[in-house]
Amino acid sequence: MSEYTMSMTVVEVCQCARLPLDTLVEIVDTGIVEPTGSRPQEWLFDSQMVVVIQKAHRLQRDLETDWNGVALALGLLDELRSVRAENDRLRRLMVIAE
């Protein structure tokens, strides 16, 4: 079964995430998301990137930090999520082994 994802333009992402273009450019320049295309007018974003963009913007606004700090925080949150998932998997294996 294939999974369908929709591509979005810069204008669509800015509207959906309620961001000005310069903020989106900063997010891309920091490497938080990586659209296809070589310049903003050509960029295409996977629709799932909008969630990451919105989360990044909230973190930047709420923590009053720079975009590099936001990128670090997002990376740490992903790592935490991964560690928790592995912990849950190991706990289930321990229950089965008992």
Side-chain angles (χ1 to χ4, degrees), residues 30-32 52 55-56 59 67-83:
T30 306
I32 293 171
V52 175
K55 186 182 291 185
L59 283 170
W67 291 111
N68 289 320
V70 170
L72 176 62
L74 288 171
L76 291 171
L77 287 170
D78 284 344
E79 183 68 24
L80 178 61
R81 213 172 292 116
S82 178
V83 167

Side-chain angles (χ1 to χ4, degrees), residues 8-25 45 50 53:
M8 298 175 71
T9 66
V10 169
V11 172
E12 292 169 329
V13 170
C14 286
Q15 289 173 345
C16 186
R18 296 183 181 112
L19 295 175
L21 177 60
D22 61 328
T23 300
L24 182 59
V25 170
F45 297 81
V50 175
I53 291 166

Side-chain angles (χ1 to χ4, degrees), residues 34-94:
E34 296 179 0
T36 60
S38 58
R39 50 194 187 123
Q41 298 84 352
E42 300 170 352
W43 285 345
L44 288 176
F45 297 81
D46 182 300
S47 58
Q48 297 173 1
M49 289 181 188
V50 175
V51 174
V52 175
I53 291 166
Q54 289 172 321
K55 186 182 291 185
H57 186 241
R58 274 193 315 273
L59 283 170
Q60 190 272 336
R61 182 190 63 223
D62 295 349
L63 299 178
E64 299 178 359
T65 187
D66 65 11
W67 291 111
N68 289 320
V70 170
L72 176 62
L74 288 171
L76 291 171
L77 287 170
D78 284 344
E79 183 68 24
L80 178 61
R81 213 172 292 116
S82 178
V83 167
R84 285 180 174 167
E86 178 68 8
N87 190 25
D88 290 344
R89 186 186 71 77
L90 291 172
R91 284 182 182 187
R92 285 192 300 277
L93 286 174
M94 287 175 55

